[in-house]
């Protein structure tokens, strides 16, 4: 293969190098250029792309890997109909159902996180969203307890927020980062969810940013979207300046509309991660739900493809490989868990700039999605 597409007459290898060097030098790639990269088919060319994404990760993130874990704070019976999600009440799945979590399991998760060098623990709830009232009071109590516990950074992924007052309450309780995935492109979103809109998600993010809360936002790939949709998702995440970008890979859940969805090939997944790194050079690109089942023996290659963060421990409705195995993988690769991530390395200066979670481990690893 000699050309990525008809817009340039340059061999793919040289074109990837040109764009990679531009990002290393602090520049940006456009949406069309990102689509060029996403359309690369040849495995040798994809390996070139991964090598450049690895260089970009090393330049902007060093050898630090940000680790996150989640606590399923309220499971099942969600009113929304996200087609990948085991926790939607619209589908018959094996997902457990229970009400809002007590303080003890959260404290246990914080201790486990500390023992494993995990930077953040996210409180994740399967419901439409959070409004003012007794439930918000209880959520704020849990966040305050997590903050006082101090063993890990308290994060949360609690669905849609429809007023500034709610976001401000979360900030006052001590929340520093909120997970709210855009899930997919603006074009593709209505094909996997009709109970709320892409715009609703953007509004939630704006309330959170106004409150001074860091944003963890990414999506799920492998739902039947086009390559261009994945690029458009990454461009939206660049526009909202998300701090952490979880990339979930669909793990089809029996009983959901996507139960028979054809899985993405591992090389296509790795290429997508690399394109995200080109678009979001300074952000934490976090590999979340679906990595074990979709990448199998190729999991360690996510770092070569540009990932700088990993969700460890079990997902919301599916299992992950043991944390010890993930830590061994990082050690073997010469990578260090980032014990103290405060996002300071995302500030531009000598480089360019470029964004974590809500619910996708989805159950399809609807993990950090809510
Ligand atoms: S992804 Fe989140 S909002 Fe959508 S159905 Fe699942 S728990 Fe509800």
């Amino acid at each position: 293969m000699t050309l990525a597409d008809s817009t340039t007459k340059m061999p793919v290898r040289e074109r990837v190098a040109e764009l990679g060097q531009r990002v290393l030098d602090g520049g940006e790639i456009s949406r069309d250029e990102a689509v060029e990269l996403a359309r690369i088919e040849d495995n040798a060319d994809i390996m070139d792309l991964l090598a450049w994404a690895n260089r970009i990760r090393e330049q902007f993130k060093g050898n630090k890997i940000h680790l996150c874990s989640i606590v399923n704070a309220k499971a099942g019976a969600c009113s929304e109909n996200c087609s990948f999600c085991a926790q939607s009440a619209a589908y018959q799945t094996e997902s457990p159902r229970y009400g809002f979590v007590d303080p003890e399991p959260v404290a246990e998760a914080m201790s486990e996180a500390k023992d494993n060098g995990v930077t953040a623990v996210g409180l994740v709830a399967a419901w439409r969203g959070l409004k003012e009232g007794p439930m918000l009071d209880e959520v704020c109590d849990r966040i305050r307890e997590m903050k006082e516990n101090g063993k890990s950074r308290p994060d949360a992924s609690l669905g849609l927020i429809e007023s500034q007052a709610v976001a401000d309450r979360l900030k006052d309780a001590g929340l520093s980062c909120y997970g709210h995935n855009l899930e997919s492109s603006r074009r593709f979103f209505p094909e996997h969810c009709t109970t709320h809109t892409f715009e609703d998600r953007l509004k939630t993010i704006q309330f959170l940013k106004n409150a001074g809360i860091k944003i963890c936002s990414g999506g799920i790939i492998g739902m039947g979207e086009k390559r261009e949709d994945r690029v458009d998702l990454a461009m939206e995440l660049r526009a909202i300046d998300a701090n952490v970008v979880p990339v979930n890979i669909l793990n089809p859940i029996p009983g959901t509309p996507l139960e028979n969805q054809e899985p993405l090939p591992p090389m296509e997944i790795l290429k997508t991660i690399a394109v995200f790194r080109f678009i979001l050079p300074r952000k934490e690109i976090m590999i979340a739900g679906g990595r074990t089942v979709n990448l199998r023996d190729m999991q360690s290659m996510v770092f070569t493809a540009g990932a700088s963060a990993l969700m460890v421990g079990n997902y919301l409705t599916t299992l992950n490989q043991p944390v010890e195995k993930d830590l061994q993988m990082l050690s073997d690769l010469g990578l260090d868990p980032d014990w103290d991530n405060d996002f300071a390395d995302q500030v531009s200066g000598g480089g360019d700039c470029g964004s974590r979670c809500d619910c996708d481990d989805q159950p399809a690893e609807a993990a950090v999605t809510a």
Side-chain angles (χ1 to χ4, degrees):
M1 175 166 186
T2 55
L3 292 179
D5 71 16
S6 59
T7 60
T8 96
K9 296 298 174 196
M10 195 181 282
V12 173
R13 186 176 185 163
E14 290 176 26
R15 180 67 168 152
V16 170
E18 178 189 51
L19 297 178
Q21 191 60 52
R22 187 197 302 166
V23 176
L24 282 179
D25 291 342
E28 285 190 345
I29 65 170
S30 68
R31 190 256 183 199
D32 287 349
E33 290 167 335
V35 169
E36 271 185 68
L37 299 178
R39 287 180 182 162
I40 296 175
E41 296 279 2
D42 183 88
N43 274 357
D45 290 328
I46 294 175
M47 294 305 284
D48 272 343
L49 180 72
L50 303 191
W52 275 97
N54 189 49
R55 276 192 196 105
I56 296 168
R57 176 186 61 77
E58 285 190 349
Q59 169 149 326
F60 293 113
K61 312 307 293 182
N63 70 340
K64 297 292 187 187
I65 300 298
H66 180 83
L67 301 182
C68 293
S69 66
I70 51 177
V71 180
N72 205 354
K74 183 268 168 191
C78 179
S79 61
E80 305 306 286
N81 67 351
C82 309
S83 62
F84 53 83
C85 185
Q87 304 204 72
S88 168
Y91 317 127
Q92 295 286 328
T93 71
E94 301 291 314
S95 171
R97 295 180 175 206
Y98 53 81
F100 198 68
V101 70
D102 291 328
E104 293 76 17
V106 179
E108 281 169 27
M110 297 288 278
S111 296
E112 199 177 321
K114 170 87 174 166
D115 292 345
N116 291 317
V118 173
T119 305
V121 173
L123 210 55
V124 183
W127 56 36
R128 176 180 168 87
L130 203 49
K131 292 182 178 0
E132 290 188 83
M135 184 50 70
L136 178 60
D137 297 342
E138 199 171 344
V139 165
C140 288
D141 287 345
R142 263 334 70 76
I143 292 169
R144 226 172 271 115
E145 292 155 10
M146 292 169 79
K147 184 81 176 171
E148 286 165 8
N149 173 300
K151 292 180 176 168
S152 190
R153 191 184 72 219
D155 289 4
S157 178
L158 304 164
L160 297 170
I161 290 175
E162 294 168 44
S163 76
Q164 190 58 52
V166 172
D168 292 344
R169 286 276 313 274
L170 294 172
K171 176 69 176 173
D172 290 346
L175 189 73
S176 53
C177 186
Y178 193 97
H180 197 61
N181 286 341
L182 294 182
E183 308 299 12
S184 62
S185 69
R186 193 183 292 260
R187 181 200 75 82
F188 190 69
F189 191 94
E191 294 193 32
H192 64 80
C193 179
T194 58
T195 47
H196 61 270
T197 66
F198 192 84
E199 212 49 51
D200 291 332
R201 288 193 167 253
L202 287 175
K203 275 187 210 154
T204 295
I205 287 168
Q206 192 55 55
F207 286 133
L208 292 160
K209 290 182 74 167
N210 294 346
I213 295 172
K214 301 287 184 188
I215 302 299
C216 170
S217 183
I220 305 181
I221 62 172
M223 295 194 289
E225 74 284 351
K226 297 176 181 172
R227 287 167 169 164
E228 288 79 358
D229 290 308
R230 295 175 209 143
V231 167
D232 287 339
L233 169 63
M235 298 303 287
E236 295 274 4
L237 295 167
R238 184 161 83 180
I240 65 170
D241 199 23
N243 301 94
V244 184
V245 173
V247 176
N248 296 272
I249 310 139
L250 182 75
N251 178 5
I253 303 295
T256 65
L258 294 178
E259 61 180 342
N260 296 316
Q261 182 67 38
E262 190 72 22
L264 287 177
M267 288 301 280
E268 185 69 25
I269 295 168
L270 294 171
K271 180 177 67 176
T272 301
I273 297 168
V275 172
F276 272 53
R277 176 53 72 201
F278 270 69
I279 296 172
L280 304 159
R282 289 183 181 271
K283 302 305 183 177
E284 297 300 346
I285 296 178
M286 179 171 70
I287 308 309
R291 69 176 157 101
T292 311
V293 68
N294 283 286
L295 289 169
R296 303 175 288 279
D297 286 352
M298 294 170 75
Q299 286 184 73
S300 63
M301 288 183 70
V302 299
F303 304 107
T304 309
S308 61
L310 201 61
M311 184 172 289
V312 297
N314 290 331
Y315 305 127
L316 294 182
T317 62
T318 58
L319 301 178
N320 194 2
Q321 69 177 12
V323 177
E324 298 73 25
K325 207 169 168 185
D326 285 332
L327 293 174
Q328 185 65 55
M329 175 171 70
L330 294 179
S331 172
D332 292 345
L333 290 163
L335 299 170
D336 278 344
D338 190 353
W339 303 80
D340 192 25
N341 190 302
D342 60 0
F343 306 113
D345 60 353
Q346 296 187 5
V347 177
S348 194
D352 98 316
C353 205
S355 155
R356 178 201 153 186
C357 125
D358 109 297
C359 43
D360 302 334
D361 106 43
Q362 357 131 9
E365 286 173 344
V368 198
T369 280

